[in-house]
Amino acid sequence: MWRAIEQNITQVIGQQFSIKHKQAVTGGDINLCYWLSDYQHNYFIKLNDKSRLQQFESEAYSLAQIKQLNAMSCPNVIATGTTLDKSYLVLEYLPFKTASAREWFNFGEQLAQMHKSSPHGQFGWQHDNYIGTTLQPNDWQSNWRTFFAEQRIGWQLQLLAEKSINLGDIKHIVDACHDILQHHQVTPCLVHGDLWQGNLGFSDDGVFIFDPASYYGDREVDIAMTELFGQLPDEFYQGYQDTYPLDNDYDKRKLVYNFYHILNHANLFGGIYIEQCKANLTRILALH
């Protein structure tokens, strides 16, 4: 397996790459992750079953789209491929460091600039992709509230129902989410789609983001996600607000946007996330 990966990297970079150092690193709950080095080049690699290649290719595509904007940094994609029984994604290796308050502020500015500089005519994406290991449908839609209520909330509720986990009448819940978003005017922009603290880091060159689940949507989904598992430092939000202030009633919409991620965690992991879904749903229905 490693020989095939060496050969792929060698072909891409145009010079011989032979693994001289290999170290397992933390990379979440889904993939096996390693730092590979020949003491000249350093790469971060994700490994999973061969059937997961499409997920890696979707991730690589999203990273390439983010990088094209020249607003936010993300790791360069080196290669995707398969071995006899594994699929893999090879990325540029970027060592982490502790960020200063100024660097968090700059991150807020850069994310705001990414959102401002990527207007699009419709909501969706060029193909379906993944949020974790869950398929994320992205059929093009001109109406944001319909897109999010149906292709995000309704989709996740249906997946739960297929596991005999029923939170209530799906149509009623979808309609409630739709109505909360009803008067919010949205310009589609490129979003990271899964922006929590575990999917960003800082190197000597500043902030970089990774593990995207990108699509063209409401920029507020990214800000909401940063608040779901513990807020980022205040300087980040100040940098964003100074550059691209959020609209009124964001706190209400945040409940709907983060409901999607809690539903996805319930689909992936069950347990406590099901109870969180019920609590979040109660708050949403109270607003309806």
Side-chain angles (χ1 to χ4, degrees):
M1 177 184 75
W2 294 111
R3 179 59 180 156
I5 293 170
E6 286 178 330
Q7 290 175 341
N8 194 349
I9 295 173
T10 294
Q11 183 178 17
V12 169
I13 68 175
Q15 54 183 291
Q16 184 63 41
F17 177 79
S18 298
I19 299 171
K20 293 183 170 60
H21 175 80
K22 180 177 67 184
Q23 179 179 326
V25 295
T26 302
D29 301 315
I30 298 172
N31 305 297
L32 295 175
C33 300
Y34 293 89
W35 166 27
L36 306 179
S37 178
D38 65 357
Y39 302 127
Q40 181 181 2
H41 305 94
N42 293 278
Y43 301 111
F44 178 80
I45 183 168
K46 298 182 178 184
L47 293 173
N48 214 310
D49 294 336
K50 195 171 185 177
S51 61
R52 298 287 179 86
L53 177 62
Q54 187 177 9
Q55 294 179 30
F56 288 146
E57 290 178 336
S58 294
E59 180 179 341
Y61 182 82
S62 292
L63 288 169
Q65 297 304 301
I66 292 170
K67 185 167 283 288
Q68 279 186 1
L69 294 175
N70 293 319
M72 284 294 314
S73 294
C74 56
N76 289 313
V77 176
I78 307 302
T80 60
T82 58
T83 65
L84 186 62
D85 63 344
K86 298 291 184 185
S87 60
Y88 60 86
L89 169 65
V90 183
L91 302 172
E92 170 190 17
Y93 179 80
L94 295 169
F96 284 37
K97 72 161 199 171
T98 301
S100 67
R102 182 66 202 181
E103 286 173 316
W104 280 109
F105 184 90
N106 291 344
F107 173 32
E109 290 183 317
Q110 289 173 266
L111 182 65
Q113 191 57 46
M114 184 182 93
H115 290 157
K116 288 179 72 173
S117 63
S118 57
H120 196 274
Q122 289 190 301
F123 303 99
W125 197 233
Q126 288 82 346
H127 52 258
D128 294 345
N129 53 15
Y130 296 86
I131 181 78
T133 57
T134 307
L135 185 70
Q136 180 171 257
N138 291 311
D139 291 342
W140 293 110
Q141 170 63 252
S142 59
N143 186 301
W144 168 245
R145 52 192 180 274
T146 299
F147 174 88
F148 197 86
E150 294 182 359
Q151 296 194 57
R152 293 295 181 263
I153 303 301
W155 171 257
Q156 291 282 348
L157 289 169
Q158 184 60 44
L159 292 178
L160 282 174
E162 291 171 4
K163 298 173 182 175
S164 299
I165 302 171
N166 296 292
L167 300 182
D169 182 78
I170 292 178
K171 183 179 185 304
H172 177 64
I173 297 171
V174 166
D175 287 346
C177 293
H178 181 281
D179 290 350
I180 291 171
L181 303 178
Q182 186 166 8
H183 300 295
H184 179 44
Q185 300 300 313
V186 182
T187 298
C189 71
L190 179 63
V191 299
H192 178 283
D194 194 13
L195 191 60
W196 67 289
Q197 190 151 0
N199 287 345
L200 64 96
F202 291 84
S203 70
D204 289 339
D205 294 326
V207 68
F208 58 96
I209 56 177
F210 46 89
D211 288 355
S214 293
Y215 58 98
Y216 289 100
D218 181 3
R219 64 194 178 102
E220 290 182 354
V221 301
D222 278 347
I223 303 302
M225 181 61 168
T226 68
E227 299 186 62
L228 180 56
F229 299 118
Q231 288 196 337
L232 302 183
D234 290 343
E235 290 82 4
F236 162 77
Y237 300 101
Q238 188 63 55
Y240 192 95
Q241 286 285 91
D242 286 358
T243 307
Y244 198 3
L246 297 174
D247 297 330
N248 293 334
D249 293 328
Y250 157 73
D251 284 339
K252 294 179 181 179
R253 294 186 295 273
K254 177 175 67 175
L255 288 174
V256 176
Y257 294 156
N258 283 343
F259 187 40
Y260 172 59
H261 295 290
I262 300 170
L263 286 169
N264 186 52
H265 276 66
N267 267 304
L268 291 173
F269 308 115
I272 191 174
Y273 294 110
I274 297 172
E275 297 308 312
Q276 288 188 17
C277 286
K278 293 176 182 178
N280 203 77
L281 178 58
T282 298
R283 297 174 69 189
I284 288 171
L285 294 178
L287 292 174
H288 182 225

